[in-house]
Amino acid sequence: MQVSVESTSALERRMTVGVPVERIETEVNKRLQQTARRAKVPGFRPGKVPMSVIRQRYEDAARQEALGDLIQATFYEAVVEQKLNPAGAPAVEPKSFEKGKDLEYVATFEVFPEFQVTGLDTIAIERLQAEVADSDVDNMLDILRKQNTRFEAVERAAENGDQLNIDFVGKIDGEAFAGGSAKGTQLVLGSGRMIPGFEDALVGVKAGEERVINPTFPEDYQNLDLAGKTAEFTVTVNSVSAPQLPELNDEFFALFGIKDGGLEGFRVEVRKNMERELRQAIKSKIKNQVMDGLLAANPVEVPKALIGNEVNRLRVQAVQQFGGNIKPDQLPAELFEEQAKRRVVLGLIVAEVVKQFELKPDEARVRELIEEMASAYQEPEQVVAWYYKNDQQMNEVRSVVLEEQVVDTVLQKANVTDKAVSYEDAVKPAEAPKAD
């Protein structure tokens, strides 16, 4: 077998492969002999058909099959021989495909980039330091109570924070418009759910009252037919209800699965969850900084095939998430290319860090991570046992741990500064980078 390789770009390879005619004929004859054993030809018993008849009837098909298999087999042999690492399926172009002659074809494909991860000492990391204070637990209890607010009917005038049950009819220039009317709508005053001015104009109403209000749609309103126009809404108030926060009692604690320990036991559980959230938030922010740093320090050209594959995965995920009667390939590739490229580049860089530093999943950390995830459930022992019986789940956890070890490896060499912050600042989502 003759092989020559030409580099047509940084990652693209054009490989010419020549296969001797003797190997082709051997493969063709092998298939014809297999066919002869099972072929049913009128006038002959199975297995007794003369080879000349077999060849006349089946040689073309046998040759096509042999050539297809030989291209696949010799391509694999050639890339191994040339120590190439294809990043996708090749585009194959036959150069010589004539019977009785050597087979020659050209395979064009991309290879994985070869590089060393560098610049770890140039990466700057800000590592947040925070604790869950008693006041943070108090704030969380208030949040949990507000999330479980109940509304009870009152006779007084409505205030911000009250819930109204209303019917309304909206008109512009005396004409009703689509979406401008409703019955039995529940509206919390001050929630900002309605257009500016709508809720403010209802402060002070009482149950049974009808009020005409004239709010103006914002200039940037999504419905351009309504944007910037002043409407007239006739609002009928069916009821006014005031918010009632639940008491911190056993009934409230039971909503969260806490049946024993009273208020102190509930605070302990809330603190545990907050501390878990804090650890995860800090870990996530450090990881994001590490990954951004690795990308900035290691510009890597990536194969188009890998980006295309990742774009297709993101398309499928988008369809699964948002549903609708749409096929993944109907979504424009441009929507996903930037995210796909980032994922592919990071995947290659992380894999290279694992290789360079000879990292393997730390099984003690694997166990620790599983136990931490299981601690959020009522019967953590059963969750841990389930993980260890499920190979796929275990492999996913090992991948997470290995990625954490990559982050730790970078942190050992990066410029790390610690910054003390409050719990709220630590768990607050990182701001998206501003556009230039």
Side-chain angles (χ1 to χ4, degrees):
M1 184 173 70
Q2 298 293 321
V3 181
S4 63
V5 180
E6 175 189 1
S7 296
T8 53
S9 71
L11 297 179
E12 189 178 81
R13 300 293 181 266
R14 180 180 170 88
M15 184 171 69
T16 302
V17 180
V19 184
V21 64
E22 294 82 10
R23 182 170 177 180
I24 298 170
E25 296 306 321
T26 297
E27 291 298 322
V28 172
N29 290 333
K30 185 188 300 182
R31 283 162 176 74
L32 289 174
Q33 289 167 5
Q34 292 171 348
T35 301
R37 288 196 290 268
R38 62 178 184 270
K40 294 181 180 180
V41 179
F44 299 95
R45 288 181 297 164
K48 300 297 183 179
V49 183
M51 184 54 69
S52 59
V53 176
I54 294 294
R55 189 173 293 277
Q56 181 181 10
R57 287 187 170 224
Y58 301 106
E59 182 175 3
D60 287 347
R63 187 170 297 277
Q64 288 300 317
E65 182 182 322
L67 289 173
D69 289 348
L70 276 171
I71 288 175
Q72 187 173 12
T74 55
F75 174 77
Y76 175 76
E77 294 169 12
V79 295
V80 171
E81 174 189 307
Q82 298 295 319
K83 296 181 173 59
L84 298 173
N85 190 6
V92 176
E93 176 190 351
K95 289 187 69 177
S96 175
F97 226 46
E98 296 181 37
K99 180 179 177 181
K101 293 185 178 181
D102 293 348
L103 165 66
E104 188 175 44
Y105 66 88
V106 175
T108 304
F109 55 95
E110 292 176 297
V111 296
F112 282 90
E114 295 182 2
F115 64 97
Q116 290 279 311
V117 174
T118 60
L120 301 188
D121 56 347
T122 68
I123 298 175
I125 304 294
E126 183 179 76
R127 184 167 53 196
L128 302 183
Q129 304 285 327
E131 294 181 353
V132 178
D134 288 342
S135 58
D136 296 319
V137 178
D138 293 337
N139 290 337
M140 182 58 69
L141 294 184
D142 288 341
I143 291 172
L144 294 176
R145 292 177 71 199
K146 288 175 182 176
Q147 289 175 345
N148 289 272
T149 295
R150 297 176 183 174
F151 289 91
E152 294 183 4
V154 292
E155 298 296 328
R156 60 169 173 75
E159 302 172 356
N160 267 328
D162 287 347
Q163 183 182 76
L164 307 184
N165 183 285
I166 59 173
D167 304 334
F168 60 88
V169 177
K171 296 181 180 180
I172 293 179
D173 298 329
E175 296 290 333
F177 57 91
S181 303
K183 286 185 174 294
T185 293
Q186 301 279 29
L187 174 64
V188 176
L189 295 184
S191 64
R193 176 182 154 196
M194 306 297 276
I195 61 174
F198 190 103
E199 294 169 30
D200 292 341
L202 294 177
V203 173
V205 297
K206 292 184 178 181
E209 181 179 342
E210 181 178 282
R211 180 173 292 190
V212 178
I213 62 177
N214 300 96
T216 300
F217 285 91
E219 294 290 344
D220 59 352
Y221 193 65
Q222 57 190 6
N223 185 337
L224 298 180
D225 293 335
L226 301 178
K229 294 183 178 180
T230 298
E232 179 184 274
F233 286 92
T234 301
V235 182
T236 301
V237 181
N238 301 317
S239 64
V240 177
S241 299
Q244 300 293 324
L245 294 179
E247 296 293 327
L248 290 172
N249 54 26
D250 289 344
E251 181 183 356
F252 179 73
F253 305 149
L255 296 175
F256 301 89
I258 308 300
K259 299 179 180 178
D260 301 311
L263 176 59
E264 193 54 41
F266 186 64
R267 288 180 65 92
V268 168
E269 290 301 317
V270 169
R271 182 184 291 273
K272 284 182 183 178
N273 289 330
M274 293 174 69
E275 288 173 344
R276 181 164 47 247
E277 180 186 16
L278 177 62
R279 288 193 299 271
Q280 291 171 347
I282 292 175
K283 186 186 294 185
S284 176
K285 289 180 178 179
I286 291 174
K287 175 187 171 183
N288 288 339
Q289 292 179 76
V290 166
M291 296 304 167
D292 288 343
L294 285 171
L295 280 173
N298 296 274
V300 178
E301 185 174 349
V302 293
K304 297 182 182 68
L306 296 184
I307 296 177
N309 291 340
E310 190 61 33
V311 165
N312 290 335
R313 273 192 285 270
L314 291 172
R315 281 168 158 169
V316 171
Q317 289 176 10
V319 170
Q320 291 173 341
Q321 181 177 356
F322 298 108
N325 297 321
I326 188 171
K327 295 179 180 179
D329 58 7
Q330 291 179 300
L331 297 173
E334 297 78 18
L335 290 176
F336 306 98
E337 281 179 351
E338 186 176 344
Q339 183 184 2
K341 183 175 180 181
R342 176 184 171 88
R343 283 191 178 191
V344 170
V345 174
L346 275 177
L348 293 173
I349 293 174
V350 168
E352 185 59 29
V353 172
V354 170
K355 178 183 173 183
Q356 280 183 220
F357 293 91
E358 299 180 347
L359 302 178
K360 294 181 180 179
D362 183 333
E363 291 300 324
R365 290 181 65 163
V366 170
R367 178 83 186 188
E368 182 181 334
L369 177 58
I370 291 174
E371 289 178 347
E372 181 172 359
M373 291 188 294
S375 66
Y377 295 86
Q378 289 188 350
E379 298 181 354
E381 299 84 3
Q382 291 186 11
V383 177
V384 172
W386 177 81
Y387 268 96
Y388 275 92
K389 290 178 182 177
N390 191 315
D391 290 341
Q392 181 179 346
Q393 294 297 326
M394 287 298 296
N395 288 334
E396 289 180 6
V397 175
R398 289 189 178 101
S399 294
V400 171
V401 168
L402 191 57
E403 197 168 78
E404 290 180 356
Q405 291 175 236
V406 168
V407 171
D408 291 345
T409 300
V410 175
L411 290 178
Q412 291 172 8
K413 300 181 179 297
N415 298 314
V416 181
T417 55
D418 290 327
K419 179 182 180 182
V421 297
S422 66
Y423 166 82
E424 287 189 0
D425 286 339
V427 299
K428 185 167 54 178
E431 293 183 6
K434 296 180 180 179
D436 295 334

